[in-house]
Amino acid sequence: MSSMGYRSTTVKGLKQQLKAPEEDGTEQDLEDFFRSLTDKVIIRWADGGDVGYVLEENAEPEIKEPDPLTAAEEADARKVKAYDRLMDKYEDQKDAFRANTVAMFQLIMSNVTRTMRNKIKSTDGHLAASKNKDMVWLMSTIEDIVSGYEEGFAPAELALDDALEQIFKMRQKGSESNEAFVKTTMLRAIKAYEGRGGPFLWTPAKEKELKTAVEAAKSKFTAASATGTDVMTTEQEDDVRRFKKKMIKDRSIAMSILKRTNKERFGDLMKELSNHYLKKPNGTPQDGFPKDVPGVLKLLENWKPNDVARRGCGNNNNSARQPSARTEANRNPLVSFAQTAGETGQVYFFRGTNGLFYACRLC
């Protein structure tokens, strides 16, 4: 087994090397590959959290440099000493991230098949990425290859259209777990598209919404300041803009995922959410609908159909009803819609699709 210091370049637990699509490599294989890297390697590496972030998010983490001391703080020996410790920690974190990135780049390239490796090397930008050990480039390239979005094999516009079409045609299979559908099927395809096509489903209306949200945050910041006149710095405004944009974009992704869930399992859920939305005056997408990907997963994992509706009246499965095993003596007496109380029997009300209530005895 070869190694780079304390960082192994072999991955115990990988079932096989990552294959290209021509070798029957799949997106699930890619998901398993990166999960194995995270589970089997990152947790054993010193300061491996930052490179683990790259594997999870396909983006470099923000390693923020400590803010410089003010003139008054520089006169305080204790604050200077604390600042020096923070700077040492910052430099150590940057050095560890660089070392781990170099090792991870080599580890990935050592655990793909020759066909996959040749495809990576033939992609534009490989020489620079290999020299700089650019993990984001490497992961994006591998995801593009696995998803069928490769540069140089078709016009960029056609490849981008194919990537978008692939997302729109996706549907959750009956046996597919919610987590696999959300994280492996949908999110990976969306990230592959965004790597070339920009934010998913971003429109002028969303740009306007973002601008309004940022302006509102700036006004709130000024109002809450000690003088009532302070304004955000450029850096603070950029942070707010990134945060608000992510919120808006995540909502669009959540909607897209929810729409493509399995209809047999979640068709009633979509009806519930749509009806709830229509009942809201001046409704917004937040009314009942999940606002982000974790919200989608939580909803799909915990939602339960209406058991009462499924048991009798209001059943949505359109299956033939089986004869009751109860005897006539045990049945509730026949009642009319006017007989809703007293000793006539148990009566339940069900809301129709037009919003009106209908009475029904428990069958």
Side-chain angles (χ1 to χ4, degrees):
M1 180 178 72
S2 61
S3 64
M4 298 181 66
Y6 53 83
R7 303 172 183 87
S8 171
T9 56
T10 59
V11 186
K12 185 178 180 180
L14 278 179
K15 296 179 181 178
Q16 58 186 7
Q17 290 185 314
L18 183 64
K19 297 179 180 179
E22 295 88 336
E23 304 169 296
D24 297 326
T26 66
E27 292 186 358
Q28 185 61 55
D29 292 336
L30 179 61
E31 180 70 18
D32 293 341
F33 180 78
F34 284 133
R35 183 180 293 116
S36 293
L37 291 178
T38 302
D39 294 345
K40 305 293 184 181
V41 178
I42 300 304
I43 59 176
R44 301 175 185 174
W45 287 11
D47 300 311
D50 287 331
V51 75
Y53 179 89
V54 180
L55 288 171
E56 290 285 341
E57 303 296 333
N58 198 10
E60 289 196 1
E62 181 182 8
I63 303 177
K64 196 170 183 179
E65 183 176 356
D67 294 329
L69 296 177
T70 63
E73 289 172 333
E74 288 179 347
D76 188 328
R78 289 181 301 176
K79 290 186 177 180
V80 171
K81 189 174 182 179
Y83 178 76
D84 289 341
R85 287 198 298 268
L86 287 176
M87 283 300 298
D88 289 342
K89 184 177 180 180
Y90 166 72
E91 294 295 340
D92 289 344
Q93 185 179 1
K94 283 205 311 179
D95 291 343
F97 176 62
R98 175 59 183 167
N100 285 335
T101 298
V102 171
M104 180 56 70
F105 192 99
Q106 180 61 35
L107 188 150
I108 291 175
M109 291 297 289
S110 299
N111 285 278
V112 299
T113 63
R114 177 175 296 181
T115 300
M116 175 65 84
R117 191 178 303 113
N118 289 338
K119 281 179 169 289
I120 294 171
K121 290 182 176 181
S122 65
T123 303
D124 290 341
H126 170 261
L127 289 178
S130 180
K131 179 180 179 180
N132 298 320
K133 299 299 183 277
D134 188 340
M135 276 283 298
V136 174
W137 179 92
L138 179 60
M139 290 186 61
S140 297
T141 299
I142 291 175
E143 289 179 353
D144 287 349
I145 292 171
V146 173
S147 63
Y149 182 85
E150 294 182 68
E151 291 184 346
F153 292 89
E157 294 80 4
L158 182 59
L160 193 62
D161 183 80
D162 288 343
L164 194 59
E165 183 180 21
Q166 183 183 35
I167 295 172
F168 288 158
K169 287 184 176 180
M170 284 179 174
R171 295 294 183 273
Q172 183 182 22
K173 298 180 178 65
S175 59
E176 189 174 13
S177 72
N178 298 322
E179 183 175 8
F181 173 68
V182 171
K183 294 184 176 180
T184 304
T185 304
M186 288 295 298
L187 283 186
R188 194 164 292 284
I190 289 173
K191 285 183 179 180
Y193 168 82
E194 288 187 327
R196 299 294 185 274
F200 182 64
L201 296 183
W202 194 257
T203 63
K206 287 182 170 55
E207 191 65 41
K208 183 178 179 181
E209 181 182 351
L210 173 61
K211 183 178 180 180
T212 301
V214 172
E215 291 300 322
K218 289 166 63 177
S219 298
K220 186 175 181 179
F221 176 88
T222 299
S225 65
T227 63
T229 58
D230 293 348
V231 296
M232 284 185 177
T233 64
T234 301
E235 182 179 350
Q236 288 172 326
E237 185 176 338
D238 288 342
D239 287 342
V240 169
R241 181 172 285 103
R242 280 193 295 269
F243 176 73
K244 295 294 184 181
K245 185 172 185 177
K246 185 178 185 302
M247 286 182 60
I248 297 171
K249 186 168 74 79
D250 284 355
R251 191 181 69 214
S252 296
I253 293 175
M255 294 282 192
S256 187
I257 292 173
L258 194 61
K259 181 180 179 181
R260 288 163 178 79
T261 52
N262 184 269
K263 293 298 181 285
E264 290 186 6
R265 289 157 59 184
F266 299 110
D268 288 347
L269 170 61
M270 289 300 296
K271 291 178 183 177
E272 284 182 16
L273 293 173
S274 297
N275 288 337
H276 178 68
Y277 180 84
L278 290 173
K279 292 174 186 176
K280 289 278 187 179
N282 301 319
T284 63
Q286 291 94 321
D287 291 333
F289 285 92
K291 298 185 285 292
D292 50 30
V293 173
V296 171
L297 264 178
K298 181 179 179 181
L299 180 63
L300 297 180
E301 290 293 320
N302 294 283
W303 176 76
K304 298 289 189 299
N306 188 322
D307 292 334
V308 174
R310 289 185 178 277
R311 189 171 66 236
C313 300
N315 195 335
N316 292 321
N317 61 15
N318 295 321
S319 60
R321 292 180 55 192
Q322 300 298 321
S324 173
R326 293 182 295 173
T327 64
E328 288 296 325
N330 291 330
R331 286 182 178 272
N332 286 315
L334 296 176
V335 293
S336 70
F337 286 128
Q339 294 172 300
T340 59
E343 299 179 354
T344 55
Q346 289 181 295
V347 176
Y348 290 83
F349 290 88
F350 295 90
R351 186 189 294 274
T353 56
N354 60 357
L356 299 177
F357 281 96
Y358 296 94
C360 173
R361 66 181 175 83
L362 187 62
C363 304

